[in-house]
C-alpha cells in the first residue's frame, strides 16, 4: 500500500531510507536544511523541503532520522515541526539514537496529539540504508507497527519487535552502540599498533579479516583507513554522543562500563584534534598523534 511519507533528515541513513521508500512506490518528501541533500533527493524523483513544517498536508507517516532527541523533538513538535502537517492517527517512526527516557517523553507528546509512535532506532550503515536493508529495533503498540508496516517493509529487512513498552528500542540501540563504539576504537588501536610495529597495513588487514580476531567494524572501518577515505558515513562526533548515552544510562543503573568510557575518551580526543566531522574509523588519528605513525592514506 502506497503511503504519503515524510523523511526528516537526509543524512547517510535518512537519504537511504528516503530513496528506499521512493523505490517502493511511496509518495515521499525528504526534509533537510542542506540544499545539496535536497537536490540529491529531488534528482532521484522525490519531493524535497527545507523544513518539516513544509511536509504535504495529511502526511500519513514520518520517519525521523536526525542526530538526537532534541532534534527529533524540534523536527516533530517545534515551531517548524511536522506535527501540524500530519494526518490524525499518523505514525511517527522515531529512529534517532537517544536515551530511553527521551523516547518515552516523545511518545507521550505524540500520543497526546493523537499520533501513533514507534521507538525505532536503526542500524546497518549507509550502504544497507540505500538498499532498504536496515535493521530496526522497534517498540510500540500493535497499532503503531501495523500503521508503519509499509514503511518498515521498504527500509528494512529485519524488524525486531521488542515489545509494546516505549524505551526498550532505545535501550537496545544504546547497548548496540556500546559494542559498535568499542569495536571501532579497538580496531583503530590494533591497526595503529601493527603499523607502529612495522607490519604492512594491507597485509595486517587481510590477515585479521580472514581470522578469528575480525569484527564487522574492523573490516568496514579499517578498509577506509587503508584508502585514506575519511568522508563521514558515521562521524567521530556521533560516537562522542552515543557513548555518552551509554555512560549516562549505565550511571543511572549504578552499572560500570569501563570499556565504553575509555572508548568515549578516545573519540573525544579525536574531536578535540579537530576530527569530529571525519569518519569515525579515523579515531586512529589519536594514536597517530601520540606515536607519529604514518597512516596508509597519508600523502
Amino acid at each position: 500500500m502506497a503511503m504519503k511519507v515524510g523523511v526528516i533528515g537526509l543524512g547517510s541513513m535518512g537519504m537511504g531510507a528516503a530513496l528506499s521508500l521512493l523505490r517502493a512506490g511511496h509518495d515521499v518528501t525528504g526534509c533537510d536544511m542542506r540544499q545539496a541533500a535536497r537536490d540529491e533527493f529531488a534528482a532521484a524523483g522525490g519531493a524535497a523541503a527545507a523544513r518539516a513544517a513544509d511536509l504535504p498536508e495529511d502526511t500519513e507517516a514520518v520517519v525521523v532520522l536526525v542526530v538526537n532527541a532534541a532534534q527529533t523533538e524540534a523536527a516533530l513538535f517545534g515551531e517548524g515541526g511536522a506535527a501540524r502537517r500530519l494526518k490524525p492517527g499518523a505514525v511517527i517512526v522515531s529512529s534517532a539514537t537517544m536515551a530511553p527516557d527521551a523516547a518515552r517523553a516523545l511518545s507521550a507528546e505524540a500520543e497526546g496529539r493523537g499520533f501513533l509512535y514507534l521507538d525505532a532506532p536503526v542500524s546497518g550503515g549507509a550502504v544497507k540504508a540505500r538498499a532498504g536493508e536496515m535493521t530496526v529495533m522497534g517498540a510500540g503498540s500493535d497499532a503503531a507497527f501495523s500503521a508503519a508496516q509499509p514503511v518498515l517493509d521498504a527500509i528494512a529487512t529485519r524488524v525486531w519487535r521488542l515489545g509494546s513498552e516505549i524505551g526498550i528500542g532505545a535501550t537496545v540501540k544504546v547497548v548496540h552502540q556500546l559494542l559498535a563504539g568499542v569495536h571501532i576504537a579497538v580496531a583503530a588501536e590494533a591497526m595503529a599498533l601493527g603499523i607502529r610495529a612495522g607490519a604492512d597495513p594491507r597485509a595486517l588487514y587481510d590477515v585479521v579479516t580472514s581470522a578469528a580476531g575480525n569484527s564487522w567494524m574492523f573490516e568496514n572501518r579499517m578498509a577506509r583507513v587503508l584508502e585514506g577515505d575519511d568522508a563521514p558515513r558515521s562521524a567521530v562526533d556521533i560516537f562522542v554522543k552515543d557513548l555518552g548515552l551509554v555512560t549516562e544510562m549505565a550511571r543511572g543503573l549504578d552499572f560500570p562500563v569501563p570499556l565504553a568510557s575509555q572508548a568515549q575518551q578516545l573519540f573525544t580526543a579525536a574531536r578535540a584534534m579537530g576530527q569530529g566531522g571525519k569518519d569515525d574509523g579515523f579515531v586512529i588519528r589519536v594514536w597517530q598523534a601520540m606515536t607519529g605513525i604514518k597512516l596508509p592514506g597519508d600523502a
Side-chain angles (χ1 to χ4, degrees), residues 190-195 199-209 218:
M191 179 61 78
L193 176 61
I195 292 170
D200 175 78
R202 176 69 63 179
L204 175 62
Y205 178 86
D206 290 343
V207 169
V208 171
T209 56
F218 183 95

Side-chain angles (χ1 to χ4, degrees), residues 66-130:
V66 293
V67 171
N68 55 28
Q71 288 189 8
T72 301
E73 182 177 21
L76 291 170
F77 309 122
E79 184 177 343
R84 70 195 69 180
R85 309 299 287 175
L86 300 183
K87 185 177 181 178
V91 62
I92 295 167
V93 181
S94 177
S95 296
T97 303
M98 64 182 70
D101 284 347
R104 286 187 279 268
L106 286 167
S107 175
E109 178 72 18
E111 290 170 6
R113 292 171 180 251
F115 304 128
L116 298 167
Y117 184 94
L118 274 188
D119 167 24
V122 296
S123 184
V127 172
K128 288 197 173 183
R130 285 183 178 252

Side-chain angles (χ1 to χ4, degrees), residues 6-9 29-34 38 48-56 74-76 78-82 84-85:
V7 177
I8 304 176
T29 301
C31 300
D32 201 288
M33 294 174 61
R34 298 167 300 147
R38 298 197 303 272
R51 303 186 315 148
D54 295 328
L55 284 173
L76 291 170
E79 184 177 343
R84 70 195 69 180
R85 309 299 287 175

Side-chain angles (χ1 to χ4, degrees), residues 27 97 115 148 238-239 288:
D27 178 3
T97 303
F115 304 128
I238 294 295
F239 276 98
Q288 182 181 36

